[in-house]
Amino acid sequence: MHTHSKKPFRFVDLHPWLAGCWTIILFMGLLTLVRGVDSYSIDTDFNHILPQAENTNVRQALTTINNRQNRQLLVAVRLTTTPDKQTLNRIAGVFSNQLFILPNQQPNDKIMTKWYQQLLPYRHQLLSQQDRNDLKNHRESTVIKRAQRQLYGFAGINQSQFINDPLFLFQRFFIQTLPQISDVRFQGNWVVGKYAGQIVAILPLALTQSAFDIHYQQQVKQTIAEAQHTAEQHNGKLTAVGAIVFAEQGFSQSKREISSVGFGGILGIVLLLLYAFRSLRPLLLLISALGLSLALSLQLTLLVFGSLHIVALLFSAAIVGISIDYGFHFLTDYYQHNDDAKTSIKRIFPGLTLGLCSSVLAYTLFAFSGLQLLKQVAALAIFGLPSMYLTVVLVLPYFYHSSASNQWHIPKVLQTIAQWLVNNPLAKLFSRPILLIGALSVLLIDGFTIKPNDDVRNLQAMSTQLLADERLIRSVFNKPYIDRYALLSGDDSLQLLQAEKTLTRRYPNIFPPQEAISTVLPDTAQQLENRRFYQQLYQHKLSQAYQAATGYVGNLAISHFKPLPIAELLHSPAMQQRFSNRLLVMKNNRLAIMLPIVSKNFDADVCASIAGINNVSCHLLSPVNDLSAQFARYRQQLSYYLLLAGVILLLLSLWRYGKRGLFVALLPLFCAALSVVMSNAFGMPLSLFSILAALLVLGMGLDYVIFLAETDRPARVMVSLALSYLTTLLSFGLLAVSQTVAVSTFGLTTAIGMTAILVLSPMVKKDEHATR
Amino acid sequence: MKRLMSLCAFCLITTAFSGESGSPLSLLQQRYQQATLVSSQFTQEKQTQFISQPLRSTGQFSYAKNHGLIWEITTPFTSRTLFAKGNNMFIEDNHGRWVKSDNDPLNLAVAELLTELLSGHWDKLQEQFRMQPATQDQGDWSVTLDAQGRWVKKALQRLILRGNKELQHIVIIDKQGNQTVLTLKNVQLQNKTLTKSQVSAFAHP
């Protein structure tokens, strides 16, 4: 075997000081990780692992949408009778702690008074939509009758307001500027409405901390449970809806899956190792080596990123899966040869090193993806794989001093299976270049015809109960589900309102005009027109008669025209409160308007209609769809990386292995493509996660073929590969049972790919091509 | 057991409202609770501090449980308003159709109190008002309710109910101290299910 030459691998002469230094580093990594365990955070917010929008305004708008949604918790109590104050107070009392803020639902009196005073000087330019329509169509009598009804109505009349506004026109306009919630009424902090014949009382709460803080999630969950108990005592059923509830559900599910899959996997791996080596020593050594390497890898990754995302942590299992193979190769080689550990390491060194390089190369590609999650996974691999490699090469041999006469350690069954695998007919069949290239071409063509599904919602399996609760609250508020917005931004407030008006007029079904800011703050032309309507009405004989009937001579004079100070009014607290969902103050103190798109069928070119308005830009925002689109982009990007990696590997393999290199490079690529196509045939979507799994198959598969290509004794290497395959199946294959589509896709794709590589990898062994 | 508890709760509420169970007021409340339709003629006198003569209007109203309140003014002008469920207000147009009107929170708030009074659900008023003990004199009774709910306080200061065998006067005193006296005449309580034509009168878009 040409790799037995000592020269290139001299450093494997196992200088004790090198092993010592590395052991110290490993333990330092573990100690630092344990000491700082309280200061590290596990992030569960999916927004943090996703790419940010390029446009600053869009980025800020998306952040605003996310923050608003994430900081809100709606508590709904379903009751059979109208709730009394004491019951609601008792339930609300459970939430009166530092975990929540009880926002005041009622408009702030001071803000409203100031708002009234700000608008009053311009009252003769302001009309409610209804009055405006009537006056435009010369229905003065209708407007006067409206005033009479107000005058003779139940409610009292304020003297100063009556003097300034004897026909109550401004009062009606002013009411229109206040928040409108129909079909609900306030009871303290509660909003009371009806749903399916039941009375529903909703308490909107604001969270004081991040919805994705795990400790906070638990505290909130406990408080909700307490409130549920209180509500039950009053024959009420309490449900809570908000990002924190979904996040907690997602985290609990991930934890459950990690625990069950992880426990099952670890148990399986332990039993397998005990069976394979029939000794505790290899098991303990592997676990210790893995634990220390993973601790160092986690510590270094945390140093780089500050925190780790839960999904990255889930993917770190992949690093364990790959790195444990290094240990297997050493142990199976040692136990199958009658020489010492040092010789074993020298024998497997080339394969091990090439395998490490190929895996690190594959993971390094992740780092260029621009996706935060993949960068974290790449870091875990870049730190973790070499750590385990160095531990195996430098440290493990010290635990095996004597020459091995340990053949009995490897069960005969395993050796027989390995022997069969090495000579299996399928591998022989595919060892014809034309067949492999042909099959690969078919798979690639088939792969390109698969319709991908990049829906970001696949990241979490939503509880149907939570979704039903959300629908209930939405229907009480009579609010449609909004997941698309048009963002208008620009320097000039007037032009911004002009753009909004243009959109609401042109697309009333998409942007309901009655909810537009421009209805509250009309433009100059409309103000002038309103003023003319006022003049006409005040001079009308019916107005004179109305005044005479009251016996009070009010002021029917019109004030001088002065345009509304739009910019100033838009920045007023009343407007910020009234249009908190659509008026955004950007970082440079400029304003932006976010228009919710209420129709599902909308023209994608809506923004084009404001093209004529200077300095106003329009962006269509769809947080969910945009993220899905980004997922699609990264899936495509990674697919190209996959192909690129294939080409690079092909060149390197041809250089190292000659003609045999064609198989070394193409087989992992073939298995990666096969895993994606087959998992799709089993109902899993083609998504970023299936491509990630394909990359893993490529990386691990390359290790398999390199080990087989480098060895003169393929049956012995196959024992190690079979063990590696079984542990991979136990760690990743079990992910296929996850309820989260993304995770199950990853699990099944990996399982299929690794099975294919195990069966087909013997086609690269030396004798196969020598005989050919 | 549940029925017994409901009865106890009912008695407690009635006692708090009227001072004693079995009083004319509690009997009146029961009658209003049983009625499906309450109709009456009314005279409303609204006195303001800055208009010398009171604003006097007359007309009739109909209140149907689960349908709403139709308030019809006949003098000094004619107008029909429907206060429907869910805080919606409709005005009858020249063609006899109900047309949704702009939000008028103050009048809606008072209309809601009126509907609670006419439906006999006086216990609900306790959430919004502090009740002074009822006074009784030879069958005449009077109850004063001081507004304490934040929303109600915006609309009015006090509500005074007076009557004998029937509810006769509702006095509304607003924040500025202006007083509106609503006098009811020929109050009719119907216990039977509403006829189709009665229901259709409340039908709105």
Side-chain angles (χ1 to χ4, degrees):
Chain A
M1 188 173 170
H2 70 279
T3 51
H4 279 198
S5 123
K6 283 184 182 175
K7 233 181 179 179
F9 311 112
R10 188 154 292 180
F11 95 94
V12 199
D13 282 343
L14 307 175
H15 294 295
W17 62 268
L18 213 56
C21 282
W22 180 244
T23 311
I24 291 168
I25 292 171
L26 284 175
F27 276 99
M28 274 174 64
L30 179 69
L31 279 176
T32 327
L33 187 75
V34 172
R35 279 182 64 185
V37 78
D38 289 333
S39 59
Y40 299 133
S41 64
I42 299 300
D43 194 354
T44 57
D45 187 349
F46 281 105
N47 293 306
H48 293 168
I49 54 170
L50 299 167
Q52 302 286 308
E54 284 168 19
N55 183 291
T56 323
N57 287 337
V58 172
R59 207 162 50 225
Q60 200 183 333
L62 287 171
T63 310
T64 309
I65 296 170
N66 285 334
N67 286 347
R68 192 180 298 145
Q69 288 170 349
N70 294 346
R71 288 269 164 157
Q72 197 180 46
L73 179 72
L74 295 168
V75 174
V77 183
R78 271 179 282 177
L79 300 135
T80 41
T81 53
T82 309
D84 63 87
K85 206 174 163 184
Q86 284 78 16
T87 305
L88 294 181
N89 279 350
R90 213 160 289 146
I91 299 168
V94 179
F95 295 97
S96 298
N97 53 41
Q98 73 279 11
L99 301 176
F100 309 96
I101 298 167
L102 283 159
N104 192 356
Q105 294 303 305
Q106 296 151 1
N108 182 304
D109 285 347
K110 274 186 189 166
I111 292 176
M112 287 304 125
T113 308
K114 196 180 172 211
W115 177 234
Y116 185 87
Q117 283 161 355
Q118 272 184 300
L119 291 176
L120 190 66
Y122 307 95
R123 63 189 177 281
H124 294 136
Q125 293 147 221
L126 302 167
L127 279 171
S128 73
Q129 204 57 43
Q130 205 168 29
D131 286 335
R132 202 176 129 76
N133 280 343
D134 286 331
L135 292 174
K136 208 173 188 174
N137 295 302
H138 301 286
R139 290 193 292 260
E140 281 83 2
S141 61
T142 308
V143 180
I144 294 292
K145 200 170 237 185
R146 210 170 279 145
Q148 282 177 318
R149 265 195 300 270
Q150 201 114 6
L151 192 63
Y152 286 86
F154 307 121
I157 306 161
N158 180 293
Q159 185 176 3
S160 66
Q161 284 176 9
F162 186 67
I163 292 169
N164 287 316
D165 184 30
L167 294 174
F168 304 101
L169 295 168
F170 176 63
Q171 187 183 320
R172 281 198 290 277
F173 167 80
F174 183 74
I175 288 168
Q176 189 184 280
T177 69
L178 304 180
Q180 315 280 315
I181 304 175
S182 63
D183 246 17
V184 295
R185 62 177 213 173
F186 294 103
Q187 210 164 317
N189 282 316
W190 294 81
V191 179
V192 182
K194 283 192 174 176
Y195 178 74
Q198 280 190 310
I199 290 157
V200 185
I202 296 170
L203 180 67
L205 295 165
L207 303 178
T208 51
Q209 292 171 45
S210 165
F212 301 99
D213 181 319
I214 295 163
H215 299 297
Y216 183 59
Q217 279 175 7
Q218 292 310 310
Q219 287 174 306
V220 170
K221 193 182 176 184
Q222 214 172 336
T223 312
I224 292 170
E226 204 181 314
Q228 273 167 338
H229 183 64
T230 311
E232 274 165 20
Q233 287 173 339
H234 295 89
N235 298 322
K237 191 171 180 250
L238 185 141
T239 46
V241 169
I244 193 165
V245 184
F246 283 107
E248 197 281 326
Q249 181 239 335
F251 178 68
S252 299
Q253 190 182 311
S254 305
K255 217 165 88 176
R256 250 190 335 267
E257 283 178 358
I258 291 171
S259 308
S260 55
V261 171
F263 178 75
I266 288 170
L267 186 71
I269 291 168
V270 166
L271 291 175
L272 180 72
L273 292 183
L274 284 175
Y275 170 71
F277 299 111
R278 298 176 189 192
S279 163
L280 262 178
R281 193 198 282 191
L283 177 69
L284 294 176
L285 274 178
L286 275 178
I287 290 174
S288 311
L290 260 179
L292 287 167
S293 307
L294 196 66
L296 182 66
S297 153
L298 280 173
Q299 174 59 32
L300 292 171
T301 311
L302 279 165
L303 274 178
V304 175
F305 293 96
S307 72
L308 256 181
H309 199 274
I310 181 112
V311 178
L313 211 58
L314 195 68
F315 279 105
S316 72
I319 320 297
V320 175
I322 297 174
S323 53
I324 199 170
D325 291 358
Y326 305 154
F328 283 153
H329 287 301
F330 164 67
L331 290 170
T332 50
D333 188 276
Y334 174 74
Y335 282 122
Q336 290 184 95
H337 292 86
N338 289 320
D339 44 28
D340 60 6
K342 188 176 166 182
T343 316
S344 265
I345 285 293
K346 282 184 179 171
R347 203 165 25 237
I348 63 167
F349 189 83
L352 217 56
T353 310
L354 283 169
L356 170 79
C357 292
S358 64
S359 300
V360 170
L361 178 77
Y363 275 105
T364 308
L365 290 176
F366 283 27
F368 295 103
S369 66
L371 204 61
Q372 187 70 0
L373 169 69
L374 294 188
K375 284 181 180 174
Q376 290 187 0
V377 174
L380 280 169
I382 291 167
F383 296 129
L385 295 179
S387 293
M388 184 63 180
Y389 167 85
L390 288 174
T391 311
V392 169
V393 170
L394 296 177
V395 185
L396 287 199
Y398 278 97
F399 291 89
Y400 293 93
H401 295 294
S402 57
S403 291
S405 54
N406 298 317
Q407 293 238 17
W408 62 273
H409 273 286
I410 305 293
K412 278 272 178 269
V413 177
L414 211 56
Q415 292 181 19
T416 314
I417 292 172
Q419 192 62 51
W420 179 84
L421 279 169
V422 166
N423 298 310
N424 81 78
L426 212 60
K428 280 193 193 316
L429 181 75
F430 271 84
S431 59
R432 292 182 177 87
I434 294 173
L435 197 66
L436 183 66
I437 293 168
L440 180 62
S441 310
V442 170
L443 279 178
L444 289 177
I445 293 165
D446 193 31
F448 281 112
T449 58
I450 295 173
K451 201 177 170 198
N453 178 358
D454 296 295
D455 197 330
V456 72
R457 282 165 284 216
N458 287 339
L459 274 176
Q460 187 176 341
M462 295 282 191
S463 145
T464 44
Q465 182 57 49
L466 283 182
L467 291 171
D469 291 344
E470 195 191 19
R471 270 198 302 277
L472 177 144
I473 289 177
R474 206 178 290 289
S475 62
V476 170
F477 280 106
N478 199 18
K479 296 261 179 205
Y481 177 69
I482 305 285
D483 61 353
R484 291 190 182 93
Y485 304 84
L487 178 75
L488 303 174
S489 50
D491 299 339
D492 189 294
S493 308
L494 268 173
Q495 285 181 328
L496 212 54
L497 283 188
Q498 186 60 45
E500 189 211 37
K501 197 173 171 180
T502 308
L503 282 180
T504 51
R505 275 195 182 169
R506 192 163 297 181
Y507 303 103
N509 295 329
I510 300 172
F511 309 107
Q514 62 272 23
E515 288 167 26
I517 303 174
S518 45
T519 57
V520 172
L521 297 177
D523 59 22
T524 312
Q526 194 173 320
Q527 288 174 50
L528 281 164
E529 196 180 29
N530 286 345
R531 194 170 178 275
R532 210 174 59 244
F533 291 146
Y534 261 90
Q535 276 170 332
Q536 279 171 17
L537 182 67
Y538 277 12
Q539 284 161 13
H540 201 278
K541 59 179 183 193
L542 284 173
S543 297
Q544 313 296 328
Y546 165 84
Q547 214 179 9
T550 61
Y552 176 80
V553 183
N555 184 8
L556 287 183
I558 303 284
S559 53
H560 287 293
F561 181 80
K562 202 174 139 193
L564 278 171
I566 299 282
E568 185 192 321
L569 292 172
L570 281 174
H571 278 95
S572 73
M575 285 302 278
Q576 299 290 329
Q577 198 175 11
R578 166 73 174 87
F579 292 106
S580 60
N581 285 331
R582 57 172 63 199
L583 196 58
L584 303 181
V585 181
M586 309 312 273
K587 275 179 185 150
N588 47 17
N589 211 31
R590 285 176 193 159
L591 292 168
I593 297 176
M594 196 160 63
L595 296 173
I597 296 174
V598 297
S599 169
K600 277 186 181 170
N601 306 314
F602 74 99
D603 185 354
D605 290 331
V606 284
C607 280
S609 57
I610 61 146
I613 300 167
N614 291 333
N615 303 322
V616 176
S617 57
C618 174
H619 291 96
L620 284 181
L621 306 185
S622 172
V624 174
N625 290 350
D626 288 352
L627 282 180
S628 301
Q630 275 164 342
F631 264 50
R633 226 173 17 252
Y634 287 114
R635 175 182 49 75
Q636 286 162 355
Q637 213 175 60
L638 280 177
S639 304
Y640 294 134
Y641 284 143
L642 197 69
L643 288 175
L644 181 70
V647 174
I648 295 171
L649 290 173
L650 181 66
L651 295 173
L652 288 174
S653 303
L654 287 173
W655 168 73
R656 180 160 175 83
Y657 301 109
K659 266 168 70 181
R660 204 155 50 102
L662 188 73
F663 291 93
V664 173
L666 288 190
L667 183 61
L669 202 62
F670 170 78
C671 292
L674 182 77
S675 65
V676 173
V677 173
M678 287 297 285
S679 76
N680 184 256
F682 283 116
M684 295 296 169
L686 170 62
S687 66
L688 176 66
F689 297 93
S690 49
I691 299 298
L692 280 174
L695 268 173
L696 185 71
V697 170
L698 183 75
M700 289 179 75
L702 201 60
D703 282 359
Y704 281 31
V705 289
I706 287 173
F707 286 131
L708 278 173
E710 290 287 329
T711 189
D712 293 324
R713 295 173 177 181
R716 291 186 176 188
V717 169
M718 188 50 93
V719 172
S720 143
L721 295 185
L723 279 176
S724 158
Y725 165 76
L726 288 171
T727 53
T728 306
L729 214 58
L730 286 168
S731 51
F732 297 120
L734 284 180
L735 293 179
V737 298
S738 168
Q739 288 184 354
T740 310
V741 178
V743 179
S744 56
T745 303
F746 186 83
L748 186 68
T749 312
T750 310
I752 293 170
M754 292 317 293
T755 307
I757 201 91
L758 181 80
V759 175
L760 299 178
S761 57
M763 73 167 72
V764 302
K765 65 184 195 284
K766 286 176 182 172
D767 58 340
E768 191 68 39
H769 295 269
T771 52
R772 210 167 275 280
Chain B
M1 186 65 190
K2 260 189 177 175
R3 280 192 182 174
L4 188 67
M5 281 172 71
S6 310
L7 191 67
C8 289
F10 174 74
C11 289
L12 279 172
I13 290 161
T14 317
T15 309
F17 202 88
S18 64
E20 58 180 273
S21 61
S23 68
L25 194 53
S26 68
L27 293 173
L28 185 66
Q29 186 188 5
Q30 282 181 39
R31 282 178 56 216
Y32 275 102
Q33 277 182 344
Q34 285 158 7
T36 51
L37 184 76
V38 181
S39 52
S40 170
Q41 292 174 336
F42 72 85
T43 304
Q44 182 183 287
E45 281 203 3
K46 194 170 182 177
Q47 288 176 328
T48 53
Q49 287 159 355
F50 55 97
I51 300 176
S52 53
Q53 62 196 61
L55 297 164
R56 192 168 187 275
S57 58
T58 60
Q60 61 246 356
F61 71 80
S62 309
Y63 167 73
K65 222 170 244 177
N66 300 323
H67 292 282
L69 170 71
I70 295 176
W71 194 261
E72 183 174 359
I73 299 173
T74 47
T75 61
F77 61 98
T78 56
S79 162
R80 269 162 66 86
T81 308
L82 167 64
F83 296 97
K85 279 202 306 181
N87 278 356
N88 287 314
M89 190 169 143
F90 297 88
I91 308 291
E92 193 180 61
D93 68 5
N94 296 334
H95 308 286
R97 290 173 306 206
W98 291 120
V99 178
K100 197 164 183 335
S101 171
D102 274 351
N103 193 4
D104 183 358
L106 294 184
N107 276 317
L108 274 169
V110 182
E112 199 185 341
L113 291 177
L114 272 180
T115 57
E116 277 173 7
L117 264 178
L118 296 171
S119 65
H121 290 129
W122 298 355
D123 50 308
K124 283 185 194 165
L125 294 174
Q126 287 180 314
E127 291 169 11
Q128 305 292 336
F129 294 92
R130 197 178 57 247
M131 304 202 182
Q132 292 181 16
T135 59
Q136 293 198 42
D137 182 22
Q138 293 177 346
D140 291 336
W141 51 265
S142 170
V143 183
T144 302
L145 302 104
D146 293 315
Q148 63 171 10
R150 201 179 150 181
W151 274 99
V152 174
K153 264 174 149 177
K154 282 182 198 288
L156 50 97
Q157 192 186 102
R158 188 172 297 148
L159 202 64
I160 303 168
L161 310 177
R162 290 192 200 118
N164 193 295
K165 285 180 182 169
E166 294 292 346
L167 174 64
Q168 289 170 337
H169 301 281
I170 301 167
V171 183
I172 303 163
I173 301 168
D174 74 11
K175 260 173 83 176
Q176 284 80 36
N178 301 318
Q179 189 171 293
T180 301
V181 182
L182 202 60
T183 305
L184 312 186
K185 213 166 75 180
N186 297 332
V187 181
Q188 311 263 322
L189 275 75
Q190 178 186 310
N191 287 352
K192 288 185 290 182
T193 317
L194 298 189
T195 62
K196 273 186 181 173
S197 66
Q198 282 172 329
V199 172
S200 67
F202 291 89
H204 57 80

